[in-house]
Amino acid sequence: MSATATILDAYCIHAATGTDASVNEALGVLAGKVPLSGIGTSLQDFVATVPQAVAAIDAARGDPDNLYLTTSTEGDLDNAIWPGNGSTGSVGSGQTQPLGVTVPVDFSQNLSLWDYDDVSSDDLLGSIRIEESERGEGPIAKLASSSVEGSVYYVTYRVD
Protein backbone atom coordinates (compact mmCIF):
# COMPACT_ATOMS: atom_id res chain seq x y z
CA MET A 1 0.00 0.00 0.00
CA SER A 2 1.50 3.32 -1.02
CA ALA A 3 1.60 6.35 1.20
CA THR A 4 0.06 9.76 0.63
CA ALA A 5 1.79 13.02 1.45
CA THR A 6 -0.23 16.08 2.34
CA ILE A 7 1.71 19.22 1.50
CA LEU A 8 0.63 21.63 4.22
CA ASP A 9 2.34 24.92 3.36
CA ALA A 10 5.39 26.70 2.00
CA TYR A 11 7.08 29.39 4.08
CA CYS A 12 9.14 31.80 1.98
CA ILE A 13 12.25 32.89 3.84
CA HIS A 14 13.60 34.67 0.77
CA ALA A 15 11.87 35.07 -2.60
CA ALA A 16 13.87 34.69 -5.80
CA THR A 17 16.06 37.72 -6.24
CA GLY A 18 15.24 38.39 -9.84
CA THR A 19 18.93 39.03 -10.40
CA ASP A 20 19.85 36.11 -12.55
CA ALA A 21 23.24 34.53 -13.09
CA SER A 22 23.86 36.55 -16.27
CA VAL A 23 23.51 39.83 -14.32
CA ASN A 24 25.86 38.55 -11.64
CA GLU A 25 28.39 37.47 -14.29
CA ALA A 26 28.12 40.83 -16.05
CA LEU A 27 28.82 42.67 -12.80
CA GLY A 28 31.86 40.44 -12.25
CA VAL A 29 33.21 41.19 -15.74
CA LEU A 30 32.51 44.90 -15.28
CA ALA A 31 34.73 45.02 -12.19
CA GLY A 32 37.70 43.91 -14.28
CA LYS A 33 37.12 46.54 -16.98
CA VAL A 34 36.53 49.73 -15.00
CA PRO A 35 39.29 52.34 -15.43
CA LEU A 36 40.03 52.97 -11.78
CA SER A 37 41.99 56.13 -12.45
CA GLY A 38 38.73 57.83 -13.38
CA ILE A 39 36.82 56.92 -10.23
CA GLY A 40 39.54 57.48 -7.63
CA THR A 41 39.29 54.12 -5.83
CA SER A 42 41.15 50.83 -5.67
CA LEU A 43 40.01 47.70 -7.45
CA GLN A 44 39.44 46.06 -4.06
CA ASP A 45 37.17 48.92 -2.95
CA PHE A 46 35.24 48.80 -6.20
CA VAL A 47 34.75 45.02 -6.12
CA ALA A 48 33.60 45.27 -2.49
CA THR A 49 30.67 47.42 -3.65
CA VAL A 50 29.42 44.86 -6.21
CA PRO A 51 27.39 42.78 -3.68
CA GLN A 52 25.82 46.00 -2.42
CA ALA A 53 24.81 46.88 -5.97
CA VAL A 54 23.21 43.47 -6.47
CA ALA A 55 21.39 43.76 -3.12
CA ALA A 56 20.12 47.22 -4.09
CA ILE A 57 18.78 45.88 -7.39
CA ASP A 58 17.08 43.00 -5.60
CA ALA A 59 15.58 45.25 -2.92
CA ALA A 60 14.27 47.69 -5.50
CA ARG A 61 12.76 44.87 -7.50
CA GLY A 62 11.27 43.06 -4.48
CA ASP A 63 8.81 41.05 -6.56
CA PRO A 64 7.02 38.12 -4.94
CA ASP A 65 7.41 34.70 -6.53
CA ASN A 66 4.62 33.47 -8.80
CA LEU A 67 4.64 30.07 -7.13
CA TYR A 68 3.43 26.75 -8.46
CA LEU A 69 4.34 23.15 -7.56
CA THR A 70 5.14 20.10 -9.66
CA THR A 71 6.16 16.54 -8.91
CA SER A 72 8.62 16.61 -11.80
CA THR A 73 11.96 18.33 -12.15
CA GLU A 74 10.83 20.26 -15.22
CA GLY A 75 8.96 23.53 -14.89
CA ASP A 76 5.69 23.52 -16.74
CA LEU A 77 2.64 25.36 -15.43
CA ASP A 78 0.41 22.91 -17.31
CA ASN A 79 1.71 20.10 -15.05
CA ALA A 80 1.28 21.99 -11.78
CA ILE A 81 -0.27 20.06 -8.91
CA TRP A 82 -0.88 23.37 -7.10
CA PRO A 83 -2.66 25.73 -7.50
CA GLY A 84 -3.87 24.28 -10.81
CA ASN A 85 -5.96 25.71 -13.64
CA GLY A 86 -2.93 27.49 -15.11
CA SER A 87 -2.66 29.88 -12.18
CA THR A 88 0.01 30.67 -9.57
CA GLY A 89 0.15 31.87 -5.98
CA SER A 90 1.91 35.10 -5.06
CA VAL A 91 4.41 34.57 -2.21
CA GLY A 92 6.92 37.10 -0.90
CA SER A 93 9.70 36.90 1.65
CA GLY A 94 8.34 36.25 5.14
CA GLN A 95 4.99 34.92 3.88
CA THR A 96 3.40 31.51 4.25
CA GLN A 97 1.37 29.99 1.43
CA PRO A 98 -1.16 27.36 2.59
CA LEU A 99 -1.16 24.49 0.07
CA GLY A 100 -3.33 21.56 1.22
CA VAL A 101 -2.52 19.33 -1.75
CA THR A 102 -1.93 15.56 -1.59
CA VAL A 103 0.41 13.42 -3.67
CA PRO A 104 1.01 9.67 -3.74
CA VAL A 105 4.39 8.51 -2.41
CA ASP A 106 5.73 5.18 -3.65
CA PHE A 107 9.17 4.92 -2.03
CA SER A 108 9.96 8.59 -2.69
CA GLN A 109 8.39 11.60 -4.41
CA ASN A 110 9.99 14.77 -5.74
CA LEU A 111 8.28 18.09 -5.07
CA SER A 112 9.57 21.14 -6.94
CA LEU A 113 8.71 24.80 -6.36
CA TRP A 114 8.69 27.04 -9.44
CA ASP A 115 8.44 30.75 -10.18
CA TYR A 116 6.36 31.35 -13.30
CA ASP A 117 7.89 33.81 -15.78
CA ASP A 118 5.90 34.98 -18.78
CA VAL A 119 8.90 36.40 -20.66
CA SER A 120 11.49 33.65 -20.03
CA SER A 121 11.65 30.07 -18.82
CA ASP A 122 10.29 29.39 -15.35
CA ASP A 123 12.76 29.44 -12.46
CA LEU A 124 13.32 26.46 -10.16
CA LEU A 125 13.04 27.83 -6.61
CA GLY A 126 14.02 24.55 -4.97
CA SER A 127 13.01 20.92 -4.53
CA ILE A 128 12.49 18.45 -1.73
CA ARG A 129 12.26 14.68 -1.65
CA ILE A 130 9.41 13.11 0.31
CA GLU A 131 10.10 9.57 1.53
CA GLU A 132 7.49 6.86 2.11
CA SER A 133 9.53 5.87 5.19
CA GLU A 134 8.50 9.20 6.79
CA ARG A 135 4.96 7.86 7.22
CA GLY A 136 3.53 8.60 10.65
CA GLU A 137 6.31 11.00 11.72
CA GLY A 138 3.90 13.94 11.90
CA PRO A 139 4.57 17.30 10.25
CA ILE A 140 8.01 17.50 8.63
CA ALA A 141 9.66 20.67 7.34
CA LYS A 142 12.34 20.51 4.65
CA LEU A 143 14.40 23.25 3.07
CA ALA A 144 13.96 23.92 -0.65
CA SER A 145 16.39 26.48 -2.04
CA SER A 146 18.19 27.64 -5.15
CA SER A 147 21.60 29.28 -5.07
CA VAL A 148 21.04 30.46 -8.64
CA GLU A 149 17.73 32.22 -7.88
CA GLY A 150 18.53 33.17 -4.28
CA SER A 151 15.26 31.61 -3.09
CA VAL A 152 14.82 29.85 0.26
CA TYR A 153 11.62 28.06 1.31
CA TYR A 154 10.56 25.63 4.03
CA VAL A 155 7.96 23.14 2.84
CA THR A 156 5.88 21.45 5.54
CA TYR A 157 4.14 18.13 4.92
CA ARG A 158 3.10 14.88 6.53
CA VAL A 159 3.07 11.36 5.15
CA ASP A 160 0.12 9.07 5.98
Side-chain angles (χ1 to χ4, degrees), residues 2 49-50 61 66-68 72 100 109 111 120 135 155 158:
S2 68
T49 66
V50 171
R61 189 160 180 265
N66 297 311
L67 181 68
Y68 69 93
S72 72
Q109 177 64 61
L111 183 73
S120 64
R135 186 187 316 214
V155 178
R158 71 172 183 272

Side-chain angles (χ1 to χ4, degrees), residues 111-124:
L111 183 73
S112 295
L113 289 73
W114 295 91
D115 179 32
Y116 174 76
D117 287 330
D118 55 1
V119 294
S120 64
S121 61
D122 295 351
D123 301 321
L124 178 61

Side-chain angles (χ1 to χ4, degrees), residues 4-69:
T4 301
T6 301
I7 316 304
L8 302 171
D9 57 42
Y11 173 67
C12 179
I13 295 171
H14 192 271
T17 62
T19 305
D20 61 18
S22 61
V23 172
N24 293 335
E25 289 172 16
L27 286 170
V29 170
L30 176 65
K33 295 185 176 182
V34 173
L36 296 176
S37 59
I39 59 175
T41 188
S42 71
L43 179 58
Q44 185 177 6
D45 291 341
F46 177 77
V47 171
T49 66
V50 171
Q52 294 168 346
V54 171
I57 292 167
D58 291 343
R61 189 160 180 265
D63 294 337
D65 292 334
N66 297 311
L67 181 68
Y68 69 93
L69 306 178

